[in-house]
Amino acid sequence: MCIDSLTSTLSSAASASWQFLNSNLAIAVIGGFAGAIGGALGAQQIVERSRKREEGLKELRYTNAAIMVAHTICNAALMLKKQHVQPMRESFLKAKVELEAFKTKRNAGQIAGDIEFHLQMDMRTFPAPIVPIETLKHIAFQELSAVGRPLALVAVIEQSLIGLTAAIEKRDQLIKRFASGDIPEKVHANYYFGLPIQGRHVNQEFPDLVEVIYGYVDDLAFFSSLLCSDLMKHGAKVREALVKRSPKQVPHVSETEFSGVVKSGLMPPDTQYKDWLNA
């Protein structure tokens, strides 16, 4: 009797449950619950997509800003090279060739031994470039997801700028020594070209600085142009991901163009940095 009674009770409960599940009230409750869950999940997905899109747009904006800063640095280096550094080096090398020709003629007896070489020293000074390196560092290390070579390039750009500034300042100090008489006029050529003084002491500071300044300004131009190229590639990937999610109102990647200065020879060639590029 107990078993039959229990079976009957369970059967009645199941029947009642089935009737409830098939009632309009149950359908409304369950449907509402499922709709609430689906709506919450859908809203979460919308929020997540919106967040990713905003992050992507922010990344693209900062990438474009970094490209423009790197381009500014490159232009500053190329302008400094064209207006000051390249003429300085050419003037120095020309004077050096003239000195060697003078020595050759004097040794051959074509010039009297008591005639002195007339030296035209290029004592023009110029300032180190003032560029937004701190802005570039902040964007690259704090705002961008780019890793690897772009970050290495930012570091080497900063090193080149520091080295260039120090070398220009050192050259200015030597020029002041020439002008003040601290370096006697009779040994100007020795200091200017790094020749032995009284057959013994050699001071290579000035000719070394000419080459160092020229090298650093080339470094600054080359590495900042290379950073522009790397950042444009990074920006293209970021933009591609944004367009896949939603093609509407996605900014374009900023572009830079250095083909003109490459053809002119003002921009140093890649072969000059083969070891660095292969490292």
Side-chain angles (χ1 to χ4, degrees):
M1 291 293 293
C2 292
I3 294 175
D4 291 340
S5 176
L6 179 59
T7 300
S8 177
T9 301
L10 291 173
S11 178
S12 298
S15 177
S17 297
W18 179 254
Q19 290 177 358
F20 173 75
L21 290 173
N22 280 279
S23 67
N24 292 334
L25 176 62
I27 291 172
V29 170
I30 294 172
F33 182 69
I37 294 176
L41 291 175
Q44 185 178 1
Q45 289 177 350
I46 292 172
V47 170
E48 184 65 15
R49 283 198 300 269
S50 178
R51 183 185 66 82
K52 288 183 177 180
R53 175 178 168 80
E54 185 56 39
E55 287 179 353
L57 289 171
K58 181 180 178 182
E59 177 89 4
L60 186 54
R61 287 193 293 268
Y62 272 117
T63 300
N64 282 340
I67 291 170
M68 289 299 98
V69 174
H71 186 260
T72 298
I73 294 173
C74 185
N75 276 342
L78 292 171
M79 189 65 67
L80 179 65
K81 181 179 179 180
K82 182 178 181 180
Q83 291 184 347
H84 300 291
V85 176
Q86 189 162 274
M88 171 201 71
R89 183 171 182 264
E90 289 175 350
S91 174
F92 175 82
L93 294 176
K94 180 175 179 288
K96 192 173 182 180
V97 169
E98 291 173 350
L99 175 62
E100 293 301 322
F102 176 84
K103 287 181 178 180
T104 300
K105 288 181 179 180
R106 189 169 62 180
N107 292 337
Q110 299 175 11
I111 297 176
D114 60 343
I115 296 179
E116 296 183 354
F117 175 71
H118 182 64
L119 173 62
Q120 286 277 27
M121 296 191 300
D122 187 352
M123 297 285 101
R124 291 172 294 181
T125 60
F126 46 85
I130 300 174
V131 297
I133 185 64
E134 294 301 323
T135 300
L136 181 63
K137 286 165 57 181
H138 171 77
I139 295 175
F141 292 111
Q142 303 295 329
E143 305 296 347
L144 295 183
S145 62
V147 296
R149 195 170 80 170
L151 300 185
L153 285 169
V154 173
V156 77
I157 287 170
E158 182 182 31
Q159 292 168 5
S160 300
L161 182 62
I162 292 172
L164 176 61
T165 301
I168 290 174
E169 290 176 355
K170 183 65 177 176
R171 179 177 176 272
D172 288 350
Q173 292 171 7
L174 280 175
I175 288 173
K176 289 178 181 178
R177 291 184 63 195
F178 278 111
S180 67
D182 185 41
I183 298 176
E185 186 175 351
K186 63 181 180 180
V187 292
H188 274 189
N190 304 76
Y191 274 85
Y192 192 73
F193 295 113
L195 302 174
I197 300 173
Q198 296 179 344
R200 296 175 297 171
H201 175 66
V202 175
N203 188 310
Q204 285 279 352
E205 279 186 290
F206 198 88
D208 285 350
L209 284 169
V210 171
E211 293 302 323
V212 166
I213 291 171
Y214 189 82
Y216 273 132
V217 80
D218 265 0
D219 292 348
L220 197 59
F222 179 80
F223 289 124
S224 54
S225 69
L226 190 59
L227 179 60
C228 286
S229 176
D230 282 6
L231 288 173
M232 284 190 286
K233 292 176 183 176
H234 174 72
K237 291 180 180 179
V238 174
R239 188 177 190 278
E240 183 181 3
L242 281 167
V243 171
K244 284 182 179 179
R245 294 192 187 101
S246 175
K248 296 180 180 179
Q249 297 180 338
V250 178
H252 288 280
V253 180
S254 297
E255 295 183 359
T256 58
E257 178 59 54
F258 297 108
S259 60
V261 290
V262 170
K263 290 179 180 178
S264 70
L266 195 62
M267 179 72 76
D270 292 0
T271 53
Q272 188 171 316
Y273 298 91
K274 183 173 61 176
D275 291 341
W276 192 92
L277 293 172
N278 293 335

